[in-house]
């Protein structure tokens, strides 16, 4: 035992010629050992309570033990949430001791997204995400891809971190059964003690993601692992093929949504070759979306690019709208409100071809005028005359 090496309590104050750094090392070692004992005791409590709850009959003493373990009392203080990352605005992401989810359609960038998260935890500064502690230990578990593809993901993270993989471990579990995959995950968490875990393919930890009991059990087991070993477990799950509202697949998706601290959705905009990870559900407040493009096999931050593309699209939309109003104004620089309404009715076809055969109604004309003002295409001068804004 480390504590056996300490024969004098005064050594903690550096008295007696003991090197202060050595004493600090002993303090750190004792603190680490105490945490190990605390986690072992917590695990034993979980096991004992689970065994009692599974019994058909319990004694009075059993019931007292169950209640003392499960009840929240005045003796329990609310603890500050410890996060593994902070975003550009300093908001925390992925709390320790909890689970979360990333959802998205197949080939929509989910694995690229988790690669960015892992790289950021290992020190990559490209995405505006900052780890809350130094030497964060990261575990990535892949259940779906061929081993060569998992190697490719690892090499991608290696490139993003400038070869800094000292605190990174990757498992490829495709060939195992669902039960074997979970056991491999649990064993590695227990032995490696990561701060952050990615399960890329949580559905492969059970045989049927539509089975309610299996879904509830695997999510409960993951929550237990996160709590006992004080890590965060991020789970990747596909969206349903027919979903229009972002639903995760099967009963497993429902259970994961209900139990996760945060849910992110990754979408691909093929036209702009842009991926966006959006915070869709949260218990602790939403964070800003994360945008990226894939260049030469690497995810590159595209926050500025997306803003530029959005501004470009808006400018194009305004210019198209302005061309319509140039025809409506008939070359006049300023037009009074009532006169402009008549001109809109006269030239309604510039807004929709159907108005060649039928006149646009005055209320619809007023709505189009209001919309153009809101878009910043037209404005009013001091005399309340309307004009087209020139840029």
């Amino acid at each position: 035992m480390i504590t056996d090496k300490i024969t004098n309590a005064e050594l903690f104050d550096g008295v007696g010629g003991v090197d202060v750094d050595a004493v600090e090392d002993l303090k750190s070692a004792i603190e680490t050992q105490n945490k190990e004992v605390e986690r072992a005791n917590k695990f034993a409590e979980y096991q004992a309570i689970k065994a009692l709850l599974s019994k058909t009959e319990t004694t009075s003493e059993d019931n007292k033990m169950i209640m003392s373990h499960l009840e929240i009392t005045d003796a329990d203080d609310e603890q500050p949430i410890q996060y593994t990352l902070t975003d550009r605005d300093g908001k925390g992401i992925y709390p320790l001791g909890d689970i979360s989810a990333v959802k998205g359609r197949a080939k929509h960038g989910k694995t690229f997204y988790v690669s960015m998260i892992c790289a950021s935890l290992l020190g990559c500064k490209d995405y505006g995400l900052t780890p809350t502690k130094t030497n964060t230990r990261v575990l990535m578990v892949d259940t779906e891809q061929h081993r060569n593809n998992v190697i490719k993901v690892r090499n991608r993270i290696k490139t993003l971190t400038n070869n800094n993989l000292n605190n990174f471990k990757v498992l490829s579990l495709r060939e195992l059964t669902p039960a074997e995959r979970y056991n491999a995950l649990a064993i590695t968490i227990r032995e490696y003690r990561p701060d952050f875990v990615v399960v890329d393919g949580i559905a492969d930890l059970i045989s049927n993601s539509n089975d309610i009991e299996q879904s509830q059990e695997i999510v409960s087991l993951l929550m237990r692992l996160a709590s006992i070993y004080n890590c965060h477990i991020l789970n990747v799950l596909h969206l349903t093929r027919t979903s229009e509202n972002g639903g995760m697949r099967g009963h497993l998706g429902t259970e994961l949504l209900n139990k996760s601290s945060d849910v992110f959705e990754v979408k691909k905009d093929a036209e702009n070759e842009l991926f966006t990870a959006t915070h869709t559900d949260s218990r602790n407040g939403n964070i800003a979306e994360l945008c990226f493009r894939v260049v030469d096999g690497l995810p590159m931050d595209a926050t500025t690019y997306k803003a530029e593309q959005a501004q470009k699209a808006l400018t194009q939309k305004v210019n198209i709208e302005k061309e319509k109003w140039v025809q409506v104004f008939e070359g006049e620089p300023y037009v009074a409100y009532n006169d402009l309404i008549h001109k809109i009715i006269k030239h309604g076809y510039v807004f929709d071809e159907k108005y060649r055969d039928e006149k646009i109604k005055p209320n619809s004309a007023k709505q189009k005028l209001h919309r153009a003002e809101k878009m910043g295409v037209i404005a009013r001068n001091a005399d309340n005359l309307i004009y087209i804004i020139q840029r």
Side-chain angles (χ1 to χ4, degrees), residues 124-350:
C124 176
K125 303 182 184 302
D126 294 346
Y127 311 112
L129 303 175
T130 306
T132 57
K133 59 172 283 191
T134 56
N135 299 319
T136 302
R137 296 168 73 86
V138 180
L139 170 64
M140 175 179 278
V141 176
D142 190 287
T143 67
E144 297 180 334
Q145 300 185 92
H146 187 277
R147 191 175 184 88
N148 281 340
N149 291 329
V150 181
I151 293 172
K152 184 182 294 184
V153 173
R154 183 182 184 276
N155 288 338
R156 177 192 303 149
I157 295 172
K158 184 177 181 180
T159 300
L160 292 172
T161 59
N162 293 320
N163 301 325
N164 179 25
L165 297 185
N166 295 330
N167 295 309
F168 186 52
K169 192 178 289 292
V170 183
L171 301 183
S172 176
L173 308 182
R174 185 185 188 188
E175 293 83 1
L176 305 181
T177 66
E180 290 169 343
R181 289 174 188 137
Y182 172 77
N183 287 338
L185 169 66
I187 289 169
T188 308
I189 290 176
R190 186 175 68 229
E191 296 300 320
Y192 183 57
R193 300 298 169 86
D195 302 290
F196 189 87
V197 180
V198 173
V199 180
D200 198 345
I202 179 180
D204 294 317
L205 299 183
I206 57 178
S207 59
N208 183 0
S209 61
N210 277 313
D211 185 284
I212 296 177
E213 290 186 5
Q214 288 188 47
S215 299
Q216 291 176 339
E217 182 179 22
I218 193 61
V219 172
S220 295
L221 288 171
L222 291 172
M223 288 192 296
R224 184 184 304 174
L225 287 174
S227 178
I228 290 173
Y229 298 107
N230 196 36
C231 61
H232 186 91
I233 302 179
L234 173 61
N235 302 280
V236 182
L237 186 64
H238 294 299
L239 290 176
T240 55
R241 291 185 177 87
T242 58
S243 174
E244 294 181 357
N245 60 355
M248 290 186 285
R249 186 173 296 176
H251 288 295
L252 176 59
T254 301
E255 190 68 15
L256 193 57
L257 173 63
N258 290 338
K259 299 298 193 296
S260 290
S261 66
D262 302 275
V263 178
F264 295 81
E265 181 174 1
V266 184
K267 290 183 178 180
K268 180 180 180 181
D269 179 358
E271 183 178 348
N272 294 313
E273 299 181 346
L274 183 71
F275 298 86
T276 303
T278 306
H279 203 184
T280 60
D281 301 271
S282 175
R283 299 187 194 280
N284 306 308
N286 290 331
I287 66 166
E289 65 182 19
L290 183 62
C291 308
F292 62 96
R293 302 173 71 195
V294 177
V295 181
D296 296 330
L298 295 175
M300 310 296 288
D301 182 77
T303 305
T304 302
Y305 172 80
K306 183 175 183 180
E308 291 173 348
Q309 291 299 106
Q311 184 58 49
K312 182 179 178 181
L314 178 60
T315 300
Q316 185 178 15
K317 184 178 181 181
V318 168
N319 287 338
I320 291 172
E321 189 72 11
K322 188 182 293 184
E323 289 300 318
K324 297 175 183 178
W325 286 94
V326 167
Q327 296 182 58
V328 170
F329 270 67
E330 298 178 313
E332 296 184 42
Y334 298 96
V335 180
Y337 178 83
N338 289 333
D339 292 339
L340 188 53
I341 295 298
H342 288 300
K343 287 180 180 291
I344 295 171
I345 294 172
K346 178 182 177 182
H347 297 283
Y349 59 87
V350 303

Side-chain angles (χ1 to χ4, degrees), residues 34 64 82 139 179 184 203-204 224 246 370:
N34 289 339
K64 288 179 181 178
Q82 293 180 292
L139 170 64
D204 294 317
R224 184 184 304 174
H370 176 71

Side-chain angles (χ1 to χ4, degrees), residues 371-384:
R371 177 172 172 270
E373 285 187 277
K374 197 170 182 179
M375 284 182 65
V377 174
I378 60 178
R380 303 170 190 253
N381 64 7
D383 297 324
N384 207 30

